[in-house]
Amino acid sequence: MHRRTAASWLGTAPLASLASLSGCALSPPAGAPLRRPLWPPPPEQPRFVYEATLRNGASLHDTGDDTRLRRLLTGEDPGRHSFGKPLAVAAREGRVYVTDTEGRRVFVFDVPRRRTFVFGVRREGELKKPAGIALDARSRVYVVDSTARRVVIYDPLGLYLGEVDGGAHWVRPTALAVSADGTRVHVVDTGGVDSEAHRVCVHDTRSGALLATIGRRGSAAGEFNLPSDAAMGPDGTLWVLDAGNFRVQAFDAAGRVLHAFGSAGNGLGQLARPRGLAVDAAGLVYVADALLANVQVFRPDGALLLALGGRAPRGAGENRDTPGRYQLPARLACDEGSRLYVVDQFLHKVEVLRKLSDEEGRALAGSG
């Protein structure tokens, strides 16, 4: 594994603090150990810490005696608000948006206000099969609907703003990435075994016009085989998870391939069944792997830094669903600060992991 100094490992971007999340009493999953997982564990200097599990409305509420008594007297059941089958996630300014393919909606955790709500279920913004989701710098929400073959645009509270119709262009849209200013949306067209449409389509979000098509089916640089996810880097670089070629590719604003990394295998730094991709504010690249049941963290040049999480035990029992353990990790997201969000489709959860500052990491290493 590649070793770097703390400064070069984390980069120079500031770690924004989301006090509302760390200060909110988030309910731990059943059977969770008292000590939060750290990666890597002490005596090495930890770089990431497990912070919370988001699963339903109860995840954002206190669990003390007063709260339990109030629920008993009022009949309140915060757990009734949940998602059916989570797939993709996006987060910004304390709101965590999760696409629910079973419920045909977007489920939202509004952490500062300790409430949940949904949208995409009525009128012109109705969703049939929400897949990928992304946010621009103004927290506008972009959702690709695989069945309707359109990208639906909402304001941060779920009010319909408009759409991009891809019916004439896309074969199997599954994910998307949006420019910071919201003027361009990059739609991942995964294609299929019998389709040559393995590419990324770039559209103007105001007119809906197709501006460019990036890639085609193949294994050469700039080509794709079953691309499955995409993310925008802080410098405007477009990152695409080229799942069928077991690699990640980076493109500039003109659609020219910059570089790529990754290979097939089950070793550190290799990809076995990659499903999710995210890039944080410092430029680190995260890849979720369903077969390895972890999230690998890379520098932009492809150097592996570490792996987060591991396989959850199969079968029943309270130790089956514990922090940092996954059965089917899917999509990922990074917020504007220091948090990584991991969707597990099988365990029906979104885990929140936080990147530690050097000072926090050194303190935790000493305490271990």
Side-chain angles (χ1 to χ4, degrees):
M1 183 180 297
H2 295 77
R3 301 290 182 185
R4 303 293 177 205
T5 65
S8 63
W9 198 97
L10 290 172
T12 58
L15 300 182
S17 173
L18 188 54
S20 56
L21 183 56
S22 59
C24 181
L26 297 169
S27 302
L34 294 177
R35 190 164 189 170
R36 295 184 295 173
L38 298 166
W39 296 276
E44 291 192 63
Q45 180 176 330
R47 302 295 186 178
F48 288 83
V49 61
Y50 163 85
E51 195 161 68
T53 295
L54 302 176
R55 197 185 305 274
N56 52 41
S59 303
L60 302 182
H61 289 269
D62 294 326
T63 56
D65 291 339
D66 291 344
T67 301
R68 285 193 289 269
L69 178 60
R70 185 188 72 244
R71 292 177 186 169
L72 179 64
L73 295 175
T74 64
E76 176 188 357
D77 179 15
R80 73 185 184 274
H81 301 294
S82 185
F83 39 69
K85 186 175 182 181
L87 174 59
V89 60
R92 186 176 175 84
E93 298 179 340
R95 291 194 184 99
V96 184
Y97 302 83
V98 185
T99 57
D100 180 1
T101 57
E102 185 178 273
R104 300 182 180 183
R105 60 187 183 175
V106 175
F107 191 91
V108 187
F109 296 91
D110 191 335
V111 180
R113 295 168 180 80
R114 297 191 184 188
R115 70 186 185 105
T116 59
F117 61 94
V118 300
F119 62 82
V121 295
R122 56 185 179 181
R123 297 187 178 180
E124 60 264 81
E126 182 179 7
L127 297 168
K128 295 181 178 179
K129 189 177 180 180
I133 188 168
L135 308 175
D136 65 19
R138 294 172 57 187
S139 296
R140 288 173 295 198
V141 186
Y142 301 75
V143 182
V144 61
D145 189 323
S146 294
T147 298
R149 288 192 293 175
R150 67 173 184 165
V151 170
V152 189
I153 307 170
Y154 306 89
D155 77 358
L157 296 178
L159 177 67
Y160 174 83
L161 297 178
E163 64 183 78
V164 174
D165 184 0
H169 306 288
W170 314 330
V171 174
R172 189 180 159 206
T174 57
L176 77 167
V178 64
S179 61
D181 62 6
T183 60
R184 290 191 175 196
V185 63
H186 305 75
V187 179
V188 177
D189 198 355
T190 300
V193 176
D194 299 323
S195 171
E196 295 300 315
H198 299 234
R199 58 196 177 179
V200 175
C201 296
V202 186
H203 289 260
D204 184 303
T205 58
R206 294 159 296 190
S207 67
L210 178 64
L211 302 177
T213 300
I214 301 173
R216 60 181 182 181
R217 190 171 191 178
S219 58
E223 296 179 340
F224 302 115
N225 181 26
L226 299 174
S228 62
D229 205 359
M232 297 297 297
D235 60 353
T237 298
L238 172 67
W239 294 85
V240 181
L241 183 57
D242 186 8
N245 285 322
F246 304 95
R247 66 184 178 184
V248 176
Q249 297 198 75
F251 297 84
D252 66 14
R256 296 182 293 259
V257 63
L258 298 173
H259 57 272
F261 64 83
S263 62
N266 59 5
L268 287 174
Q270 294 183 309
L271 305 177
R273 191 183 171 193
R275 295 196 66 200
L277 173 73
V279 182
D280 70 13
L284 298 183
V285 181
Y286 302 78
V287 180
D289 197 298
L291 188 60
L292 302 179
N294 66 11
V295 177
Q296 296 189 83
V297 188
F298 298 90
R299 291 195 325 185
D301 62 5
L304 176 69
L305 297 174
L306 81 165
L308 308 173
R311 175 71 61 187
R314 295 187 180 275
E318 65 176 13
N319 293 324
R320 177 169 170 264
D321 182 7
T322 55
R325 294 292 174 177
Y326 309 116
Q327 284 283 5
L328 190 60
R331 304 290 176 83
L332 306 170
C334 295
D335 62 17
E336 72 276 21
S338 58
R339 287 174 174 83
L340 170 70
Y341 302 80
V342 184
V343 173
D344 190 308
Q345 287 189 289
F346 188 86
L347 296 176
H348 297 266
K349 66 179 180 179
V350 177
E351 281 199 352
V352 186
L353 312 182
R354 184 168 62 86
K355 188 165 63 173
L356 296 166
S357 68
D358 284 342
E359 182 179 358
E360 289 175 307
R362 285 192 294 266
L364 289 170
S367 66

